[in-house]
């Protein structure tokens, strides 16, 4: 009887193997199992290949086998720019900064870390660029009575950008600007002195001229609290011959100057400079040129003659340009027709032209 049972069990097992499936007991905890291959012989007259379906495949990975799902990588954000609203600033006053990142921030925002190279310039530890935005602003604090130049840094991981912030302990004179380049006897009130930072209180700036034919009265001007500029008047008288006068503004140890000429009668202006931007272009482009006089244009304006030494390459779009009365400069355009380098000239009256080159390139060069 036991022999018969063994024969029946062996027959059942062989039948399962031939059928292509090896059944496991229901209680087995083995993972997904690869199905045995089901193969068919190729038809007569064709290469002897076996077509197998499902060989070595299973519905899921075998235990310990790595899977490779399709993963969408989040964009790698970088710091594109860091700037401050004003520099220099007076110690004890604040300013603001702005950081720009390379793409709109994701949902939840993008944090950016902030640091300062000097403890007297304070920043928040970080700022968050709001979702969908690419910029964020933050406050910058400074310590009173401090003079320092600090480096501010904004970073996302290894990406960063820097900006310099200069902090001063007191205002200084930044510039002096006289109303005219060339004066004749008159009274002028539109002369200006400028500080590097807004005055914390009404601030007196001393003024002096090195020529008796140009006087500054009363010898000073006051920059109002919260402002950077103040105007002052000068009186000019007729010198025996034209002179160059220098006006100097002083505040503490800082100073700045401007130079002008004083004549008994209005001098005839001359062209002092000619610039072309850009001075290297491709054929067909129309760069802009600026002609500048050494003295303001007289009543009726100054008609400046324009020329080119190679009109077939580049030439002014018109033969003259007019500098308006009391102005120092005027602009005009240049036409280009073929490649090469041409010298553009500008002259007032019979003066020798002042020239500037413009290079015209073929397309693609």
């Amino acid at each position: 009887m036991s022999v018969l049972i063994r024969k029946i069990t062996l027959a059942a097992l062989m039948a399962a193997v031939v059928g292509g499936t090896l059944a496991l007991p229901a209680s087995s905890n083995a993972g997904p199992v690869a199905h045995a291959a089901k193969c068919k012989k190729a038809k007569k007259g064709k290469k002897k290949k076996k077509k197998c379906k499902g060989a070595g495949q299973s519905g899921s990975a075998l235990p310990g086998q790595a899977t490779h799902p399709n993963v969408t990588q989040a964009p790698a954000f970088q710091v594109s720019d860091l700037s401050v609203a004003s520099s220099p600033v007076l110690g004890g006053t604040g300013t603001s900064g702005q950081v720009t990142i390379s793409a709109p921030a994701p949902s939840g925002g993008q944090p950016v870390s902030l640091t300062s190279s000097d403890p007297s310039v304070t920043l928040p530890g970080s700022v968050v660029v709001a979702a969908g935005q690419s910029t964020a602003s933050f406050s910058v604090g400074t310590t009173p009575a401090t003079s320092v130049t600090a480096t501010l840094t904004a970073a996302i991981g290894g990406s960063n950008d820097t900006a310099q912030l200069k902090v001063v302990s007191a205002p200084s004179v930044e510039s002096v600007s006289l109303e005219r380049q060339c004066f004749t006897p008159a009274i002028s009130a539109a002369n200006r002195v400028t500080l590097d930072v807004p005055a914390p209180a009404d601030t007196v700036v001393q003024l002096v001229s090195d020529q008796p034919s140009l006087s500054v009265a009363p010898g000073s001007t006051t920059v109002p609290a919260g402002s950077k500029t103040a105007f002052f008047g000068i009186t000019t008288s007729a010198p025996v011959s034209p002179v160059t006068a220098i006006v100097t503004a002083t505040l503490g140890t800082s100073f700045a100057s401007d130079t002008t000429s004083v004549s008994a009668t209005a001098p005839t202006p001359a062209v002092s400079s000619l610039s072309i931007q850009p001075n290297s272009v491709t054929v067909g482009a129309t760069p802009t040129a600026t002609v500048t006089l050494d003295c303001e244009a007289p009543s009726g304006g100054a008609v400046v003659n324009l020329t080119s030494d190679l009109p077939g390459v580049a030439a002014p779009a018109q033969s003259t340009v007019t500098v308006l009365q009391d102005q120092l400069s005027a602009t005009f355009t240049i036409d280009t027709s073929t490649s090469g380098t041409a010298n553009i000239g500008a002259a007032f009256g019979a003066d020798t032209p002042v020239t500037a080159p413009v290079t015209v390139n073929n397309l693609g060069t």
Side-chain angles (χ1 to χ4, degrees):
M1 183 70 177
S2 61
V3 174
L4 179 60
I5 292 172
R6 284 200 297 272
K7 286 183 178 180
I8 293 172
T9 304
L10 181 60
L13 178 62
M14 292 299 294
V17 172
V18 173
T21 304
L22 178 62
L24 293 176
S27 61
S28 173
N29 290 325
V33 178
H35 298 296
K38 295 182 180 180
C39 304
K40 293 182 181 179
K41 290 186 178 180
K43 290 184 179 179
K44 228 175 182 182
K46 295 191 177 180
K47 288 186 179 178
K48 293 182 179 180
K49 277 188 178 177
K50 289 184 179 181
K51 295 182 179 179
C52 299
K53 293 182 180 179
Q57 295 177 352
S58 70
S60 61
L62 293 174
Q65 184 176 2
T67 58
H68 302 282
N70 292 326
V71 178
T72 302
Q73 296 292 333
F77 291 96
Q78 296 183 330
V79 177
S80 301
D81 183 63
L82 176 65
S83 62
V84 290
S86 55
S87 180
V89 296
L90 184 65
T93 64
T95 185
S96 63
Q98 179 174 278
V99 63
T100 303
I101 61 176
S102 56
S107 175
Q110 175 61 53
V112 181
S113 66
L114 301 170
T115 57
S116 167
S117 65
D118 194 282
S120 66
V121 176
T122 58
L123 305 174
S126 65
V127 65
V128 176
V129 180
Q133 303 298 309
S134 58
T135 62
S137 296
F138 56 93
S139 60
V140 181
T142 64
T143 304
T146 301
S147 294
V148 68
T149 298
T151 300
L152 312 185
T153 303
I156 301 175
S159 167
N160 66 78
D161 194 31
T162 62
Q164 302 295 311
L165 177 64
K166 182 179 180 181
V167 182
V168 297
S169 58
S172 296
V173 177
E174 183 175 75
S175 66
V176 176
S177 178
L178 299 178
E179 184 179 352
R180 294 180 66 85
Q181 187 75 23
C182 300
F183 281 98
T184 53
I187 296 175
S188 166
N191 309 282
R192 182 173 59 209
V193 62
T194 302
L195 304 182
D196 60 346
V197 295
D202 289 355
T203 301
V204 177
V205 178
Q206 303 297 322
L207 298 160
V208 65
S209 168
D210 69 343
Q211 292 291 337
S213 57
L214 187 154
S215 62
V216 182
S220 66
T221 187
T222 300
V223 180
S227 178
K228 292 177 64 175
T229 61
F231 291 92
F232 62 94
I234 60 175
T235 301
T236 53
S237 57
V240 175
S241 59
V243 296
T244 298
I246 302 174
V247 175
T248 302
T250 304
L251 176 60
T253 59
S254 68
F255 62 91
S257 301
D258 194 15
T259 303
T260 189
S261 68
V262 183
S263 305
T265 58
T268 301
V271 175
S272 61
S273 67
L274 175 65
S275 63
I276 301 172
Q277 294 295 330
N279 61 3
S280 181
V281 297
T282 55
V283 173
T286 54
T288 299
T290 300
V291 60
T292 302
L293 304 178
D294 62 353
C295 284
E296 286 78 8
S299 176
V303 179
V304 178
N305 297 310
L306 307 174
T307 58
S308 170
D309 65 351
L310 291 173
V313 173
Q318 67 255 24
S319 60
T320 64
V321 64
T322 300
V323 180
L324 299 178
Q325 179 178 335
D326 292 328
Q327 299 300 307
L328 287 170
S329 63
T331 61
F332 59 94
T333 56
I334 299 171
D335 293 331
T336 61
S337 54
T338 188
S339 61
T341 298
N343 291 299
I344 307 302
F348 180 61
D351 291 343
T352 301
V354 172
T355 62
V358 57
T359 299
V360 184
N361 305 294
N362 287 318
L363 291 172
T365 60

